[in-house]
């Protein structure tokens, strides 16, 4: 029996600036999975939010002239909420690490790890990268210059008396978990990178400083007013806060029992180390009488690749960021969602461009899918007075064979978050349907009364392929998919109950070939996508 619930998270993005397309990419990827899981009949908890603490926030607010980092957070928060609304992101919660519920959870977590003996006060001197909010061992710095191995910026020597998290004591347990659970870090290439460069490296899982003395902006260490909790130790806990951790209210405890552990943390590969090593180590160290081996670990950490602009990682600080509002306005929300997941194989780096989105708009969306729908509906109107005909069995029918093979391939790809494979499967079905129209030439069959049965079967199969394509594309392009189903004769809201959930049967059943009901009246509408000359 598959689980009835599904808890998916995005990273909590730094609240030091407004979102760009790289952030939107991860949130859209999570939204597609949330909608897909709802369509499969699961109850979904989809969490996103903002990371509001740390030196980076402190620095950004000073540079931008705010009196406190909190004011900067208040200022940018609206833009993030607006972005997710504009992009049809169906998150169920939006967490800010400055909220009281989170401060309470973070302190409780810290105290539990401390009581279990995994936190120790030590004096420390090390090379710190403010941009990545990370101390780096000497051996990992890029030379010459002692640069941060991640962002290649200069590091600075910092000396403080801090609380240390004794992560090294958990290295063997982490290694054992990663090896016993290949599904824990996905895709596979990401796991191999992680094992090679960190877990099996001598200085990969070292004890780390998890408090800051020099910084005032953050969550205070329980029992020590002079220190705040390190931003990553604080931020990772958000996933548990939102599920109810830290509250003694019975309703919150029940919520926590229901949702934790998360089914998947979707993140960029740039922060894989924190999610696949530090976070599980923190959870293993959070022990008490009830949890002698620590808290349950998330089931999967999925690291996406990075969106590049002309081969360079897109980021605000590099000045090459694309504004998601601009592309959503110029091309449409569904088109943007589709393009990002079609163009860049999920889990791998890839470049995007205006020429690329414009080409896919005209070819795949307007021509292949949109035209197929318009033609099929028009022919049903012409040859069958708009009523979906029944199909008599047609042995060896090419489109039926493609349609029957579709669902298993699509479902496997979606479960594994191989969105590019799922979309390729849908477009292969659409291409097969287009070829089928050309091969069958219904306009010729219509002229020969002895072909009436074949004509009915042909039109039925075309409409059936379009019904299946509409269902399968809905997590990616919710509005366009609904419009396509309306043209096939479904009333608005008849197929979907909202936020991707299906009415009636779950997606795996709805995708089975033969689900189309003869007798339903098709309804010609506006073209799904109007072909455009882009200037
Ligand atoms: N605040 C931390 C995350 C804490 S999670 C407990 C953080 N924030 S971030 O805003 O810098 O980046 C978060 C995520 O945004 C990345 O992991 C990645 O998913 C996404 N991206 C940021 N730039 C991106 C690209 N250029 N391309 C793809 N994703 C990008 O790290």
């Amino acid at each position: 029996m598959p689980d009835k619930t599904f808890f998916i998270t995005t990273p909590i993005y730094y609240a030091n600036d407004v979102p760009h397309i790289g952030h939107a990419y991860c949130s859209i990827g999570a939204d597609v999975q949330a909608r897909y899981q709802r369509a499969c009949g699961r109850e979904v908890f989809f969490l996103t939010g903002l990371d509001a603490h740390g030196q980076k926030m402190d620095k950004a607010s000073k540079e931008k002239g705010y009196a406190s980092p909190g004011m900067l957070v208040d200022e940018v928060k609206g833009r993030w909420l607006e972005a997710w609304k504009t992009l049809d992101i169906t998150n169920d919660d939006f967490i800010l690490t400055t909220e009281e519920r989170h401060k309470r959870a973070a302190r409780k977590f810290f105290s539990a790890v401390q009581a279990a003996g995994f936190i120790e006060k030590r004096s420390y001197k090390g090379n710190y990268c403010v941009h990545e909010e990370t101390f780096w061992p000497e051996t990992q710095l890029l030379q010459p210059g002692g640069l941060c191995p991640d962002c290649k910026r200069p590091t600075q020597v910092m000396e403080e008396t801090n609380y240390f998290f004794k992560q090294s004591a958990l290295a063997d347990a982490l290694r054992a978990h990663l090896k016993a659970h290949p599904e824990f870090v996905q895709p596979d290439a990401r796991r191999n990178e992680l094992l090679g460069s960190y877990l099996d490296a001598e200085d990969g899982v070292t004890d780390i400083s998890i408090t800051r003395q020099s910084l005032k902006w953050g969550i205070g260490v329980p029992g020590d007013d002079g220190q705040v909790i390190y931003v990553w130790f604080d931020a990772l806990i958000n996933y548990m806060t939102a599920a109810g951790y830290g509250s003694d209210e019975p309703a919150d405890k029940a919520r926590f029992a229901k949702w934790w552990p998360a089914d998947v943390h979707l993140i960029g590969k740039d922060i894989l180390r924190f999610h696949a090593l530090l976070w599980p180590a923190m959870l293993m160290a959070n022990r008490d009488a009830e949890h002698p081996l620590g808290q349950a670990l998330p089931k999967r950490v999925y690291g996406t690749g990075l969106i590049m602009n002309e081969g360079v990682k897109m980021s605000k600080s590099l000045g090459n960021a694309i504004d998601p509002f601009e592309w959503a306005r110029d091309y449409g929300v569904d088109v943007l969602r589709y393009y990002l997941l079609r163009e860049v194989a999920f889990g791998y780096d890839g470049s995007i461009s205006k020429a690329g989105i414009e080409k896919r708009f005209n070819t795949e969306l307007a021509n292949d899918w949109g035209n197929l729908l318009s033609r099929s509906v028009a022919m049903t109107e012409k040859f069958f007075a708009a009523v979906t005909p029944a199909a008599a069995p047609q042995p060896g029918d090419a489109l039926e064979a493609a349609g029957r093979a579709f669902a298993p391939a699509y479902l496997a790809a979606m479960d594994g978050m191989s969105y590019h494979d799922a979309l390729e499967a849908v477009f292969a079905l659409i291409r097969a349907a287009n070829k089928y129209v050309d091969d069958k030439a219904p306009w010729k069959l219509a002229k020969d009364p002895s072909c009436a049965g074949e004509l009915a079967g042909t039109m039925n199969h075309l409409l059936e392929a379009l019904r299946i394509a509409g269902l399968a594309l809905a997590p990616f392009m919710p509005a366009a998919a609904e419009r396509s189903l309306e043209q096939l004769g479904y009333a608005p809201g008849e197929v979907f109950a909202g936020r991707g959930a299906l009415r009636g049967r779950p997606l795996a059943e709805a995708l089975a070939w033969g689900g189309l009901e003869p007798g339903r009246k098709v309804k010609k509408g506006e073209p799904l996508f109007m072909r455009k000359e882009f200037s």
Side-chain angles (χ1 to χ4, degrees), residues 224-521:
D224 187 341
D225 292 344
Q227 306 247 359
V228 298
I229 300 176
Y230 166 51
V231 63
W232 269 104
F233 198 89
D234 149 2
L236 288 161
I237 297 167
N238 91 86
Y239 303 128
M240 274 171 84
T241 308
Y245 180 81
S247 164
D248 291 326
E249 291 291 324
D252 290 330
K253 289 189 159 205
R255 224 159 39 83
F256 186 67
K258 174 176 176 178
W259 293 110
W260 193 257
D263 289 85
V264 57
H265 292 316
L266 184 64
I267 53 161
K269 69 173 193 190
D270 52 336
I271 55 174
L272 186 67
R273 204 167 46 98
F274 295 102
H275 284 78
L277 298 178
L278 175 58
W279 180 223
M282 285 166 63
L283 289 162
M284 286 175 181
N286 183 337
R287 299 179 181 178
D288 54 28
E290 226 181 299
H291 308 94
L293 295 175
Q295 305 284 326
L297 303 188
K299 292 181 200 153
R300 195 164 30 144
V301 174
Y302 191 106
T304 73
L306 298 176
I307 297 280
M308 322 284 269
N309 197 342
E310 317 248 334
V312 180
K313 176 190 167 183
M314 187 182 300
S315 87
K316 268 269 143 70
S317 47
L318 295 176
N320 63 353
I322 296 175
D323 179 1
F325 289 101
E326 202 180 300
W327 277 33
R329 184 198 60 215
D330 291 350
Y331 302 111
V333 172
D334 278 348
V335 179
L336 172 59
R337 290 172 59 109
Y338 167 75
Y339 174 66
L340 292 178
L341 297 182
R342 175 84 161 133
E343 183 75 23
V344 181
F346 214 56
Y348 301 88
D349 295 350
S351 280
I352 59 168
S353 66
K354 287 194 165 200
I357 191 169
E358 290 166 4
K359 181 158 180 234
R360 288 199 189 268
F361 177 90
N362 277 331
T363 53
E364 294 166 349
L365 297 180
N367 271 7
D368 296 349
W369 184 26
N371 258 352
L372 177 71
L373 179 71
S374 302
R375 288 166 88 190
S376 304
V377 169
M379 287 189 284
T380 310
E381 285 188 334
K382 189 162 170 200
F383 305 138
F384 294 95
V387 178
T388 303
Q394 296 181 63
D397 185 87
L399 188 53
E400 177 168 347
R404 287 193 187 278
F406 169 74
Y410 170 85
L411 293 167
M414 291 300 281
D415 286 336
M417 291 202 185
S418 285
Y419 296 142
H420 49 291
D421 289 332
L423 286 170
E424 178 47 33
V426 186
F427 276 83
L429 180 66
I430 288 173
R431 285 195 303 270
N434 276 311
K435 180 170 184 308
Y436 185 76
V437 183
D438 295 341
D439 291 349
K440 289 279 192 179
W443 48 93
K444 284 191 193 147
L445 296 175
K447 289 191 181 132
D448 182 350
S450 72
C451 296
E454 193 179 349
L455 177 65
T458 300
M459 291 317 302
N460 175 290
H461 288 178
L462 282 170
L463 297 174
E464 174 61 333
L466 282 160
R467 182 190 70 88
I468 291 174
L471 288 171
L473 290 171
F476 299 91
M477 293 182 276
E482 280 249 35
R483 288 203 312 278
S484 81
L485 293 170
E486 280 170 34
Q487 297 205 23
L488 299 180
Y490 295 90
E494 184 182 343
V495 178
F496 289 99
R499 298 158 67 78
L502 279 180
R503 288 192 197 283
R505 50 200 176 161
L507 188 62
E509 283 173 38
L511 287 178
W513 183 263
L516 186 76
E517 306 120 296
R520 192 178 277 277
K521 244 183 152 176

Side-chain angles (χ1 to χ4, degrees), residues 124-147:
Y124 184 76
K125 188 172 174 188
N127 307 289
Y128 195 71
C129 170
V130 175
H131 189 76
E132 303 292 332
E133 300 272 18
T134 311
F135 272 109
W136 292 102
E138 196 72 35
T139 50
Q140 288 189 17
L141 295 181
L142 297 181
Q143 300 299 354
L147 308 180

